[in-house]
Amino acid sequence: MARYIFITGGVVSSLGKGLASAALGACLQARGYTVRLRKLDPYLNVDPGTMSPYQHGECFVTDDGAETDLDLGHYERFTGRPGNKNDNITTGRIYQNILTRERRGDYLGGTVQVIPHVTDEIKAFIRDGNDEYDFVLCEVGGTVGDIEGLPFFEAIRQFGNDMPRGQVIYIHLTLVPYVASAGELKTKPTQHSVKELRSIGIQPDILMVRCDREIPENERRKLSQFCNVPQSAVIQALDVPSIYDVPLSYHAEGLDDEVLAAFGIKGAPAPKLERWEKISKGIANPEGDVTIAIVGKYTILKDAYKSLIEALVHGGIANRVRVNLEWIESEIFEKEDPTAHLEGVHAILVPGGFGERGAEGKIRAVQYAREHKIPFFGICYGMQMAVIEAARNIAGIKDATSSEFSKTGSAVVGLMTEWTKGNLLQERTSDGDMGGTMRLGAYPSILSSGSKIAEIYGSDEISERHRHRYEVNIAYKNQLEKAGLKFSGLSPDGILPETVELEDHPWFIGVQYHPELKSRPFDPHPLFASFVAAALDQSRLV
């Protein structure tokens, strides 16, 4: 029977519950246990697919096409276990399920209430499909005391009573701030947070305390006494140089030992953390540096590109270099010459995005990379801008555009109205719902034999995750290929362009999918490893 670990947060948001959950999962894996990680999100959206990246950062997409919280990216990168649609649930989806059943008459005339119907739905989600796992880690989004989170806290409280004794523990992550004017670490915010948690019936078994310096023994003792946890279970969650140092840091602080002790597990295998040590040493001791410019639309919030950032780190690990990122808002290039911003970088990456804002700036960044022979990587929207740039400036289609932001001109990029997923035809309309209607999840692609991208993958057949509503128009394929832009990857039916590359360029590749979603620190995605290698070659020329 699976054991359950609930991770809650207090004091402030953005303390890193998702990262803490992922790192704990990695520590338990290192001891030989099987783990599953799940996320409970209290917001009313059915999923984060319709949210602006400025709200919750990137929308992480799974193989089965679920649009999920970015923390599922942490879970996948740290444990290697692919997530799915059953690993993330929101209040919106809970209520959607309940109201669908209510309209169908499933409640037999009963009054539908938060307790028991909403809490039972949450508990069913937590419990289902866990027979093959030793530990299930459930992160509760938000902070204790949030009104929207109360049904989730009530559900996990009930869950602890429903399960046999010793099958459920609670970990509470809080902040101990350092007040410079007083020269002290303050434990009072954590005390109040635990008091709030206990007031709704949950007593934490382990207290994880985020801090930027060592917590003195007296303060740890105070936290133990006032929060009713053993002193050994007051775990410092110290700031570390890299997120990939976190499993090592948590183990050194005794987190996994305390978890096993809380479950009464004795004689557990010692953790095998050698691969984490290797990753940590590789990041801390690079043999060189490269600088890559990311020309995007949401650069003021780095979490909007979380998986992309980590995939570039993984590419650096593969090449034993540190990857320095230059963040450039694409709208700047609509007013300024890109040269001043790009002439010193070793590679240029144009990531995904939506809408017209900043599109022309991205196109100018592509043009600069093409004309100056700088390694270029276009992802999703970035590939589409690369195709439009080639159409305008190489193929002579001066009015080339995307129907996403213009109803006039040559729609080199257009709205997808239908495509095939498995054996089913998917159909969409321009005035249909926004949520859950994109081409989502893993789709196969066939790469041209002898193409650069096939060489990088080492295969002519791949499967990658998608999230887009617009597609490069296959009708322009011959015209663009005559101009030198090769359509090196297509959907199996030959209708949807998946990858493009310039033949007369050191490294110029665009992909319609999101390869960053499948990159791992121990298994860097081949495209990112190759892209960083090209940047390294470029750095030697400068």
Side-chain angles (χ1 to χ4, degrees):
M1 181 183 291
R3 295 177 172 89
Y4 291 83
I5 303 169
F6 293 100
I7 298 96
T8 61
V11 183
V12 294
S13 60
S14 301
L15 288 180
K17 292 191 305 296
L19 187 56
S21 302
L24 174 57
C27 288
L28 293 171
Q29 271 190 335
R31 290 179 178 268
Y33 295 108
T34 55
V35 300
R36 182 181 194 179
L37 291 104
R38 315 183 89 171
K39 178 73 183 290
L40 312 176
D41 275 312
Y43 48 73
L44 279 169
N45 304 66
V46 173
D47 59 44
T50 57
M51 290 186 190
S52 164
Y54 293 127
Q55 295 288 310
H56 281 268
E58 76 169 1
C59 179
F60 188 83
V61 179
T62 59
D63 280 339
D64 60 358
E67 294 177 286
T68 70
D69 186 83
L70 66 82
D71 283 325
L72 268 74
H74 287 312
Y75 303 164
E76 287 200 12
R77 286 186 286 272
F78 277 72
T79 68
R81 177 190 173 273
N84 59 53
K85 63 183 179 181
N86 295 318
D87 288 329
N88 187 201
I89 200 163
T90 68
T91 297
R93 189 166 144 205
I94 291 288
Y95 277 92
Q96 184 183 59
N97 294 345
I98 290 171
L99 293 175
T100 298
R101 287 204 291 273
E102 186 272 335
R103 293 289 84 187
R104 204 165 52 214
D106 291 2
Y107 295 110
L108 302 176
T111 302
V112 181
Q113 298 176 289
V114 173
I115 300 174
H117 300 100
V118 172
T119 51
D120 282 352
E121 185 77 13
I122 295 169
K123 289 190 292 182
F125 169 80
I126 294 168
R127 187 184 299 112
D128 289 351
N130 298 324
D131 293 342
E132 63 185 284
Y133 301 100
D134 298 315
F135 293 97
V136 178
L137 288 75
C138 286
E139 175 196 349
V140 182
T143 56
V144 63
D146 294 343
I147 291 174
E148 62 265 30
L150 289 175
F152 287 93
F153 285 103
E154 173 61 17
I156 68 173
R157 183 197 67 79
Q158 293 180 17
F159 194 91
N161 290 333
D162 295 344
M163 295 294 289
R165 189 181 297 273
Q167 292 297 118
V168 175
I169 69 169
Y170 303 93
I171 298 176
H172 194 50
L173 178 67
T174 70
L175 175 70
V176 170
Y178 177 77
V179 180
S181 60
E184 292 178 334
L185 287 165
K186 292 297 184 180
T187 64
K188 190 64 70 177
T190 292
Q191 293 177 44
H192 281 294
S193 182
V194 173
K195 181 180 178 181
E196 181 77 22
L197 190 63
R198 293 174 70 187
S199 73
I200 57 179
I202 298 174
Q203 167 61 50
D205 298 279
I206 297 171
L207 198 59
M208 292 184 66
V209 183
R210 282 298 311 273
C211 47
D212 63 356
R213 64 201 67 211
E214 294 278 342
I215 301 176
E217 194 73 14
N218 286 341
E219 274 64 31
R220 294 182 71 170
R221 187 181 303 113
K222 185 188 296 184
L223 287 169
S224 170
Q225 291 172 343
F226 281 92
C227 299
N228 196 32
V229 297
Q231 189 169 332
S232 62
V234 178
I235 305 295
Q236 298 181 121
L238 297 167
D239 293 347
V240 290
S242 163
I243 63 171
Y244 300 113
D245 293 323
V246 175
L248 299 173
S249 176
Y250 283 179
H251 173 67
E253 294 294 332
L255 175 60
D256 46 326
D257 290 323
E258 285 299 321
V259 167
L260 297 175
F263 282 115
I265 298 174
K266 298 179 181 178
K272 297 179 180 179
L273 295 166
E274 292 81 6
R275 67 175 189 166
W276 288 105
E277 292 168 352
K278 182 179 179 181
I279 292 291
S280 177
K281 290 177 182 176
I283 293 174
N285 301 286
E287 297 177 6
D289 290 79
V290 296
T291 300
I292 295 176
I294 298 180
V295 183
K297 298 177 63 170
Y298 319 110
T299 58
I300 62 172
L301 182 69
K302 304 303 184 290
D303 273 356
Y305 301 107
K306 190 59 183 173
S307 292
L308 182 67
I309 294 169
E310 297 310 316
L312 288 166
V313 171
H314 306 161
I317 292 171
N319 289 278
R320 298 183 297 279
V321 297
R322 178 185 292 108
V323 178
N324 301 310
L325 302 180
E326 291 283 345
W327 295 93
I328 303 172
E329 189 70 22
S330 60
E331 287 182 284
I332 291 175
F333 293 160
E334 296 174 7
K335 303 173 184 177
E336 301 178 18
D337 185 342
T339 303
H341 299 272
L342 297 176
E343 62 181 349
V345 304
H346 305 132
I348 297 169
L349 190 151
V350 176
F354 297 93
E356 183 179 5
R357 182 181 67 83
E360 292 299 326
K362 289 191 174 190
I363 290 170
R364 294 195 69 189
V366 176
Q367 181 178 3
Y368 185 91
R370 177 179 61 80
E371 292 178 347
H372 291 79
K373 304 291 186 181
I374 297 174
F376 169 80
F377 196 2
I379 296 176
C380 195
Y381 190 93
M383 166 180 152
Q384 295 171 6
M385 298 305 101
V387 172
I388 291 172
E389 192 278 329
R392 290 178 183 178
N393 299 321
I394 306 178
I397 309 171
K398 297 302 181 182
D399 62 346
T401 188
S402 168
S403 61
E404 183 174 6
F405 46 79
S406 178
K407 294 182 180 180
T408 61
S410 300
V412 174
V413 177
L415 176 70
M416 286 187 296
T417 56
E418 61 179 51
W419 66 92
T420 301
K421 185 168 188 177
N423 295 320
L424 299 175
L425 180 66
Q426 306 288 313
E427 295 182 294
R428 301 291 186 267
T429 60
S430 58
D431 58 351
D433 288 350
M434 294 290 288
T437 58
M438 287 185 277
R439 188 178 184 222
L440 294 165
Y443 285 85
S445 305
I446 307 300
L447 306 181
S448 302
S449 296
S451 64
K452 186 175 186 68
I453 196 166
E455 178 187 343
I456 291 169
Y457 274 101
S459 173
D460 293 346
E461 296 184 22
I462 59 171
S463 175
E464 292 283 3
R465 299 177 187 177
H466 294 65
R467 184 178 183 247
H468 59 105
R469 187 171 279 110
Y470 292 80
E471 190 83 46
V472 172
N473 191 339
I474 193 69
Y476 291 90
K477 177 176 182 289
N478 291 338
Q479 193 173 355
L480 287 165
E481 288 199 324
K482 287 179 181 177
L485 186 69
K486 183 178 181 181
F487 283 52
S488 52
L490 299 171
S491 57
D493 58 10
I495 295 175
L496 303 178
E498 293 279 10
T499 76
V500 296
E501 58 187 67
L502 274 180
E503 297 175 309
D504 185 25
H505 195 283
W507 206 102
F508 190 107
I509 290 175
V511 298
Q512 184 57 73
Y513 46 83
H514 289 270
E516 70 271 20
L517 299 178
K518 295 179 71 171
S519 188
R520 309 286 180 264
F522 309 110
D523 185 19
H525 194 285
L527 282 176
F528 284 93
S530 178
F531 180 56
V532 173
L536 184 58
D537 289 340
Q538 181 72 18
S539 72
R540 292 165 178 156
L541 298 175
V542 176

